[in-house]
Amino acid sequence: MIPHISSRPRRTLVLAATLGAALAFGAPGALAGTLPVAPSAAPAAKAHAPAAVPASQSATWVAGTRAYLVITAPGDSSAVRSAIAANGGTVFSNFDAIGVIVAHSASSGFAAAMRGVSGVQKVGATRTSDVPADAYNPALPANPAQASTPAGEPVRADMSQIKADQAWAVNPGSASVTVGILDTGVDDQHQDLAPNFDAADSVSCAYGKPDTRAGAWRDVDTHGTHVAGTVAAAKNGKGVVGVAPGVKIAAVRVAEPGNSFFFAENTICGFVWAGDHGFKVTNNSYYTDPWQFNCPDNIDQAAIIEGVTRAQEYAEGKGSLQIAAAGNENYDLAHKTTDSASPNDSTPVTRTITNACIDIPTELPGVVTVAANGTGVTKASFSNYGQGVIDVAAPGSNVYSTVPGGGYGSKSGTSMATPHVVGVAALIASANPGITPAQIRAKLAEQANDIACPSDSRCTGTTADNSFFGEGQVDALKAVGTTPPPGKYFENLADFAVNDNATVESPIAVTGVTGNAPATLKVGVDIKHTYIGDLKVDLVAPDGTVYTLHNHAGGSADNIAQTYTVNASSEVANGTWKLRVNDNAASDTGKIDAWSLTF
């Protein structure tokens, strides 16, 4: 979620280095990083889709029309729908499977009247502004012309940081796994997204009901397309590669055009769609407008909490895991005190809040909450945090990904961190067919690499689970089932600078391994360095024996990310092994980012 750094949606903080399309920013909604949009051409007769709006409604829209959630028991809501009409409202859409009706009315007494109707449990306004006339006859988003991109898709720092580049060789993801991008929409024509795009299961849920026309899912901003690329840009020799380049992506546009607002009815529609269309995971890089935090003691916000919670539970019950951005206010979500950003669709006011007030959807039960790392395993300065709130972390600073029109650009925010986690979850699902949302949640926690608290009093908890990073930073390589057996895998994740005309060594102390090292000792090397022809890389055994891994090969290529096999059977396994890197030229420097030994 990248809201409030670049505005309401958990929007990206930075957009730079674009190639191709220009990037325009409207007044954003509650973006937390990027918002998805859904394509049309939906399959026939999907259960529980909201009822279509009568054509005559467009003629009855008037200024002052507001949207309401009317909450009932799940099942037949015909009696309540009749009462809505009798009390000056119209049914815009209804989700009988979860007992949620989206109603519109220009009557100031509508909500109070409906609260007295038999069978109605809650009623709440979803916005403090009028429903746009566009809701009754939505314009299709633009289909931008596509720029061409030169060949080449170098591994980016965010991908190597979570070992996605190593995971691709093991399992790039299964085409049977579909990820829903609930966001501002997705440019399905983009050369890096088209190969994996699922138009049949894409839709627009703007205004709170499915619009299945072809192209309704397209991006009304840039956020959703950027998120989609991080999840699953194709490995096609150009542009960028997503964390899970073999999975499918479907767009569910929950943002409204012109302002990128993500109102509750839009999110409800998106979650129900996700459940009914078999999405294994959804990416939610936004918060639900207009309230940054929804408080149960507010009669309107209580209905929003109930409606979106039911929709999330419905989607999870159908097999879909929701993953959401924590937000970009550098705010402690475990110790809430004030909210000065709401309502963001009219005039925000400062109000006192408590932890009973929640950020939706990221703080809903069952939703995986994602914080952003900065460079390496630091906390991104903007990332929200909170003990017991943050589940996992991922890179979220200066993330380079797809933007509409065939272009590319860099954005920062928890919105950018979230699709990394979504991609890892998609890899977990690919490697474990039939896995449940609860099991994916558990595996996300298990595979994450612990990050200790820095010297910052705001970071509380343990190395294994703390307020900045939760269970730690996700690891795509572990997600695809390559976790080494306990006691036989050793790694050093500390950075060691490789300077010009200098030699540096990174040590690993090996203990608990009986006898000699194997003839197939695996040496995983991750070196970030421009012009790798400058480098000689050696493995140094505990007795000082040197095994050369890389000897000035590669010329002007960047970075070494490779696993070498070494016959070290003459070496005693236990002791201190070293990775020695020698730079014997000027101008290009770098670092040992990480390395490992597998016995």
Side-chain angles (χ1 to χ4, degrees):
M1 280 159 133
I2 288 186
H4 321 127
I5 288 203
S6 23
S7 250
R8 276 187 306 280
R10 291 204 159 166
R11 193 185 260 286
T12 49
L13 305 180
V14 179
L15 178 50
T18 39
L19 169 66
L23 304 178
F25 288 87
L31 290 175
T34 304
L35 305 176
V37 176
S40 87
K46 285 288 185 180
H48 312 306
V53 169
S56 60
Q57 271 195 324
S58 60
T60 61
W61 180 89
V62 295
T65 298
R66 296 292 171 90
Y68 300 86
L69 298 182
V70 180
I71 310 293
T72 71
D76 182 11
S77 63
S78 56
V80 174
R81 282 183 272 139
S82 295
I84 288 172
N87 285 284
T90 57
V91 174
F92 186 75
S93 60
N94 63 284
F95 303 87
D96 281 350
I98 60 172
V100 175
I101 302 169
V102 180
H104 289 178
S105 179
S107 169
S108 60
F110 174 77
M114 287 304 301
R115 289 178 186 124
V117 171
S118 176
V120 172
Q121 299 173 359
K122 287 183 172 65
V123 179
T126 64
R127 45 184 94 200
T128 63
S129 56
D130 290 358
V131 174
D134 182 67
Y136 298 108
N137 187 23
L140 285 173
N143 184 9
Q146 300 294 314
S148 59
T149 300
E153 48 182 12
V155 175
R156 308 189 312 277
D158 56 316
M159 293 297 160
S160 59
Q161 186 169 325
I162 64 167
K163 301 180 184 175
D165 53 332
Q166 298 176 56
W168 299 330
V170 179
N171 187 340
S174 169
S176 65
V177 171
T178 300
V179 173
I181 310 296
L182 277 64
D183 214 287
T184 59
V186 174
D187 179 5
D188 56 299
Q189 306 292 318
H190 194 292
Q191 60 199 341
D192 250 349
L193 302 178
N196 292 335
F197 193 79
D198 176 5
D201 290 312
S202 294
V203 72
S204 170
C205 272
Y207 309 116
K209 71 179 183 69
D211 179 351
T212 59
R213 292 175 296 163
W217 60 79
R218 291 197 176 114
D219 209 332
V220 294
D221 187 79
T222 60
H223 193 267
T225 300
H226 195 277
V227 164
T230 299
V231 173
K235 200 171 191 302
N236 55 5
K238 54 188 175 184
V240 299
V241 187
V243 176
V247 305
K248 294 295 183 184
I249 47 174
V252 179
R253 179 164 65 87
V254 290
E256 297 180 6
N259 52 34
S260 291
F261 281 116
F262 299 72
F263 291 108
E265 59 267 38
N266 309 2
T267 303
I268 290 167
C269 171
F271 285 165
V272 171
W273 183 273
D276 286 341
H277 288 256
F279 298 169
K280 201 64 183 176
V281 191
T282 68
N283 189 106
N284 302 271
S285 291
Y286 59 92
Y287 70 78
T288 301
D289 297 292
W291 308 100
Q292 182 176 3
F293 300 103
N294 286 269
C295 300
D297 60 355
N298 177 287
I299 198 166
D300 292 315
Q301 293 162 40
I304 291 173
I305 294 171
E306 180 67 20
V308 182
T309 298
R310 289 189 185 187
Q312 195 291 117
E313 291 174 344
Y314 177 84
E316 180 161 344
K318 292 279 190 173
S320 176
L321 176 66
Q322 279 55 252
I323 300 178
N328 306 320
E329 295 76 36
N330 192 27
Y331 192 94
D332 186 353
L333 296 174
H335 297 89
K336 301 184 184 84
T337 54
T338 58
D339 172 16
S340 57
S342 310
N344 61 15
D345 66 336
S346 55
T347 303
V349 296
T350 299
R351 57 179 179 151
T352 299
I353 62 172
T354 68
N355 285 348
C357 303
I358 60 173
D359 185 331
I360 296 176
T362 199
E363 288 190 276
L364 291 179
V367 175
V368 175
T369 304
V370 180
N373 290 129
T375 302
V377 291
T378 61
K379 172 190 173 295
S381 60
F382 51 80
S383 182
N384 286 354
Y385 57 98
Q387 183 67 44
V389 179
I390 301 302
D391 290 306
V392 289
S397 296
N398 296 317
V399 174
Y400 189 72
S401 186
T402 49
V403 295
Y408 300 86
S410 295
K411 294 177 184 279
S412 295
T414 55
S415 285
M416 283 51 261
T418 303
H420 289 88
V421 177
V422 168
V424 170
L427 291 177
I428 290 172
S430 298
N432 300 274
I435 193 170
T436 67
Q439 290 169 334
I440 298 175
R441 271 198 303 271
K443 283 187 174 293
L444 280 172
E446 291 168 7
Q447 57 75 51
N449 293 314
D450 293 342
I451 305 175
C453 278
S455 298
D456 187 325
S457 61
R458 299 173 302 164
C459 189
T460 59
T462 65
T463 297
D465 188 358
N466 58 60
S467 60
F468 275 14
F469 311 110
E471 299 278 354
Q473 183 172 265
V474 293
D475 187 316
L477 187 59
K478 290 181 182 177
V480 293
T482 59
T483 305
K488 293 189 177 182
Y489 177 81
F490 304 84
E491 65 181 356
N492 189 335
L493 300 178
D495 291 348
F496 288 80
V498 179
N499 298 317
D500 285 333
N501 295 300
T503 298
V504 63
E505 293 181 339
S506 173
I508 289 179
V510 174
T511 59
V513 180
T514 303
N516 284 8
T520 56
L521 178 66
K522 302 297 183 184
V523 186
V525 175
D526 186 357
I527 296 172
K528 302 295 189 295
H529 192 289
T530 52
Y531 211 101
I532 60 175
D534 291 355
L535 301 180
K536 184 172 184 288
V537 181
D538 298 312
L539 174 69
V540 183
D543 67 357
T545 302
V546 175
Y547 298 86
T548 298
L549 307 177
H550 172 96
N551 193 6
H552 302 293
S556 61
D558 294 342
N559 305 330
I560 300 174
Q562 189 171 336
T563 298
Y564 300 89
T565 300
V566 174
N567 183 351
S569 56
S570 62
E571 306 293 338
V572 174
N574 291 334
T576 299
W577 297 73
K578 298 175 183 177
L579 187 72
R580 176 183 295 162
V581 180
N582 168 256
D583 179 317
N584 66 352
S587 299
D588 292 276
T589 60
K591 65 179 179 179
I592 302 172
D593 197 35
W595 74 287
S596 65
L597 292 170
T598 304
F599 288 84

